[in-house]
Every structure is written in structure tokens, then in C-alpha cells.
Amino acid sequence: MANTKVQKRKKSVAAKRSRARKRVKSDYYDYSLVAVIILLTCFGLIMLYSTSSYVAQLDHNDDMFYFKKQAEISAACIVMALGISWFDYHILTKFTTILYVVSLGLMVLVKTPLGVSSHGARRWLKLGPLPQFQPAEIAKIAVIVSLSYMIVQMGKQVKTLKACMVLAAIGGVQALVAYVFTDNLSTAIIIFCITAGLVFMAHPDTRPFLLLAAGGLLIIAVGVAVLSSVMEESDNFRLQRILVWLHPEDYASGDGYQTLQALYAIGSGGFFGRGLGNSIQKLGSVPEAQNDMIFSIICEELGIFGAIIVLALFAYLLYRLFFIAQNAPDMFGSLLVTGIFIHIALQVIFNIAVVVNLMPNTGVTLPFISYGGTSILFLMAEMGLALSVARQIKFQEPEFTM
């Protein structure tokens, strides 16, 4: 009898443990991602006002001119991102071809009278009552969506050379059109890198990609070394940018002026900076400081400490995207967020590398911080898609029953 009672007790405990191990599905919403997006946006607005107030007062007689415009579109875009997050991201599969073709068409229109020039570059488009925008930003989203969809459709065939060539062509066409029709090499490079990154993630064999990357870096290094040794001047502005990058002090009164002033700003900031609002270089020394070079003003006013805070926020943003991609409910969602991850990471790396003169000037903005309505609009659209994928993650939670 005693043994029987012991066995029953053991069975009862085992049954309770079994019930405790039962799992139920629960909806998930990534509030951490929302929080870091809002933090980056608010920090960007503070630094934008600090950076642009002097120039805005001179040019527009309103020290809050740039701040108000950016604040309005940022608030609207955050609401838009939250709205997008409640849609099923699979709806994009029905519009993949349309999105791809429309993005190409809009970039081609830049060369028509509808195109708008600004700061010496013709990259914007003005369509009727709509505010002007950069169609190259749409191309980035189009490539991410199109490649993600195509990789899923190819399935196991993605490992074949033919499939890789098709995927490379899909991204390559967008990159080529962005370069030819919008004269935007930086966007073309980003689109190419997004393409390579998504194919790399989907392909089972990493060795060919590593070999290609190593070969490409070697070719670039040799090319730069040759240029620096045999060329002193160039009529080609892209080659000139490389020469300026290698020897900015030789072009201090010309193309190297902005780079040198940005470096002065970073160097004068020290560890804790001059203090918020106390930058000297923003008083006209760094041209268009509120755009590509805003990181230099952050370093001058907040020092290395402020730069570390910014990098930490971006690192956490990328971590949340990585987390969502890793736990996405399907391959399409995972690739979609992976593409967004690659895009954000590239823009952060390129912008900061340009500011500290680790690479030639590319004209890439710092996400969520640099001034620009088009940039914030499409970045928030991407964040909305990432949140949409996150919302469909199903975690297993223990069900405790007595």
C-alpha cells in the first residue's frame, strides 16, 4: 500500500510538472524597439536644434526653422510606423513587382523636368502637390522586399549559381539606375551591399562570399594606393574625393575644408565636450552641419562620451532588429528585417566613417539624427515593417496550473 501511495504521489507530481511545461502561444510587441526609435528621434531633434539654430536664424530669421520641420515629420512618421506595425507584412508579397517597377520609374524621372537639383546634385523629385523627395530611398525598401520575396520563392534553389545571378541582377539593376539617373553612388553601394548581404544570409555556403569580399577589398586597396601615388589632381569629382580623403590638408581651402573642420570639431570636444549648444564649428565652419556632418557637432558638444551614447543607442537598435530577424515566424519576415538591419548598419557606419575621415565623402545621412524629411519617412516605414514582423512572433509561455 505504501509503495502504491508513493507511486501515485510521484505520478501526481509528474503530471503537475507536465502541465507546468505546457506552452501556450502569446502575441508579442517589441516595445523595446519602439523605445529606442523614440529615444534616437528625440536625441536627434535636440542635436538638430543645437546644430542648426544659428544658421536657421541667419537664413530664415527663425532659429527653430529646421527643428520645427523635422519635429513635425518625425512625429507623423512615428505614428505612421506604429500604424504599419499593425498590418500583416505578408501583404507586401502581392505588391513586390509593382514596388520594384515603381521605384525604378521614379528614379528615371529624376532626369526629366520633374527632377529637382539641390546643393549641386539632382536627386530629388517633385510630383504635383507632393513635397519633393528622393526616390532612391524607395529603391532601398524595394530591393529589401523584392529580394526577400524572391529568396523565399526560390527555396532550396537559392544555392545554385543561376539563382544567385538572378538575385544579383535584381539588386544590380536598382543600384545601376540609382547611380545613372540620380547620380547617387552612395545609395548604389548601399543597395549592392543589401543585395550581397541577403544572398549571403540565404546561401548555405559562405566561402565564395568571403573570397569575393576579400578580393574586392584587395582590389580597392590596390586601386587607392595607385591613385594616391600617380595622381595629384583629377577632373572627375569622384576621383577627386578619393584624393581629398587621402590628403585633406592639401585641399584645406577647397574640397577638404568640410572634412578638416569636422575633425577639428571632434578633436576640440575632448571626453565630455564643450557642452550642449556651445559648439564653435557649427557657426558656419562646418557647412550643412545639420545634415551629413551632425556627428562631428555631437562630438564637439558632448565629447567622446556623447558619441559612445549615440553608438550604444544604434547598437541596441540593431540588436532589436537582429532579435526580431532571428525569431521571425517565417523566412520572408526574417529576410525582411535582415535587409533593414543591413541598411541601418551601413548608413551608420558610412556616415561616421566619413565624419572621422576613414572613407571618402559619400553624402550618407546619420539615421534618425540628420536633417531630412525623406530619410526619416522611409526609415520609419522600415521600422514599421520590423515591428509588423515582431508582432507576429509567437513565444512559448509556461501555463501554471494547480
Side-chain angles (χ1 to χ4, degrees):
M1 292 292 294
N3 290 337
T4 303
K5 290 182 178 179
V6 170
Q7 289 175 355
K8 287 182 178 180
R9 190 177 297 111
K10 287 182 178 180
K11 288 180 179 179
S12 177
V13 171
K16 288 181 179 180
R17 288 177 178 175
S18 177
R19 287 195 296 270
R21 286 194 299 266
K22 284 183 178 180
R23 306 288 182 170
V24 294
K25 292 183 177 181
S26 63
D27 289 330
Y28 172 74
Y29 198 89
D30 201 324
Y31 292 103
S32 297
L33 179 58
V34 176
V36 74
I37 292 169
I38 293 174
L39 280 173
L40 274 169
T41 303
C42 292
F43 178 82
L45 289 172
I46 292 170
M47 291 310 307
L48 176 64
Y49 176 70
S50 176
T51 302
S52 66
S53 57
Y54 176 77
V55 175
Q57 182 65 39
L58 289 180
D59 295 345
H60 304 281
N61 200 31
D62 181 4
D63 64 342
M64 299 186 72
F65 177 80
Y66 295 109
F67 172 82
K68 286 189 292 188
K69 291 182 68 175
Q70 187 81 345
E72 289 171 0
I73 193 166
S74 295
C77 288
I78 288 175
V79 174
M80 176 198 71
L82 295 176
I84 291 174
S85 71
W86 289 97
F87 285 91
D88 185 351
Y89 63 92
H90 293 98
I91 196 173
L92 289 173
T93 60
K94 299 179 180 179
F95 303 100
T96 302
T97 304
I98 295 175
L99 179 61
Y100 186 86
V101 173
V102 167
S103 65
L104 288 175
L106 290 175
M107 287 192 290
V108 170
L109 287 176
V110 172
K111 288 293 186 182
T112 70
L114 295 173
V116 178
S117 298
S118 179
H119 300 91
R122 193 180 183 88
R123 297 175 180 175
W124 286 262
L125 197 62
K126 176 67 175 172
L127 298 177
L130 297 176
Q132 68 182 43
F133 63 96
Q134 290 192 57
E137 296 295 329
I138 303 176
K140 297 172 185 176
I141 297 180
V143 165
I144 293 171
V145 174
S146 301
L147 288 176
S148 300
Y149 176 74
M150 287 299 298
I151 290 171
V152 172
Q153 293 300 306
M154 289 177 175
K156 293 182 179 180
Q157 296 299 316
V158 75
K159 63 183 179 181
T160 63
L161 178 60
K162 180 181 178 181
C164 290
M165 291 178 66
V166 170
L167 294 172
I170 292 172
V173 169
Q174 287 278 11
L176 182 62
V177 172
Y179 174 67
V180 173
F181 287 91
T182 69
D183 198 24
N184 198 332
L185 180 60
S186 58
T187 295
I189 293 173
I190 289 174
I191 290 173
F192 174 79
C193 291
I194 290 172
T195 302
L198 287 176
V199 177
F200 173 79
M201 294 299 296
H203 200 278
D205 190 1
T206 60
R207 287 174 296 179
F209 296 93
L210 296 177
L211 291 173
L212 286 172
L217 290 175
L218 180 62
I219 292 171
I220 292 172
V222 171
V224 170
V226 170
L227 282 173
S228 63
S229 62
V230 303
M231 294 185 65
E232 295 182 358
E233 294 289 341
S234 174
D235 293 332
N236 187 299
F237 80 96
R238 300 198 190 281
L239 295 179
Q240 183 71 12
R241 279 186 177 183
I242 295 176
L243 294 174
V244 170
W245 164 56
L246 294 171
H247 307 288
E249 64 280 356
D250 294 340
Y251 303 88
S253 60
D255 294 334
Y257 178 79
Q258 187 183 45
T259 298
L260 287 175
Q261 294 301 320
L263 292 175
Y264 293 153
I266 295 171
S268 65
F271 189 80
F272 288 109
R274 296 177 179 272
L276 187 64
N278 294 328
S279 168
I280 296 174
Q281 298 301 109
K282 71 182 181 183
L283 305 178
S285 296
V286 179
E288 298 294 329
Q290 70 272 14
N291 293 327
D292 305 344
M293 292 293 172
I294 196 169
F295 186 74
S296 65
I297 307 302
I298 292 173
C299 292
E300 185 182 7
E301 294 191 348
L302 304 180
I304 296 174
F305 178 77
I308 291 173
I309 295 298
V310 174
L311 293 176
L313 287 172
F314 279 119
Y316 188 69
L317 172 69
L318 293 174
Y319 164 71
R320 295 314 307 173
L321 293 174
F322 175 79
F323 176 84
I324 296 169
Q326 192 176 39
N327 294 280
D330 55 26
M331 180 62 75
F332 179 64
S334 181
L335 290 170
L336 204 61
V337 180
T338 299
I340 295 170
F341 176 98
I342 296 171
H343 174 209
I344 301 295
L346 284 173
Q347 286 213 189
V348 173
I349 292 170
F350 284 2
N351 179 271
I352 295 176
V354 166
V355 172
V356 300
N357 202 38
L358 289 178
M359 64 181 291
N361 199 316
T362 59
V364 174
T365 57
L366 188 61
F368 305 103
I369 296 178
S370 294
Y371 176 74
T374 302
S375 176
I376 198 72
L377 173 65
F378 291 105
L379 283 170
M380 286 298 184
E382 290 183 1
M383 293 301 101
L385 291 177
L387 288 168
S388 176
V389 176
R391 195 174 64 85
Q392 296 197 32
I393 293 176
K394 302 295 182 181
F395 285 109
Q396 302 297 327
E397 297 180 350
E399 182 184 282
F400 295 100
T401 55
M402 299 299 294

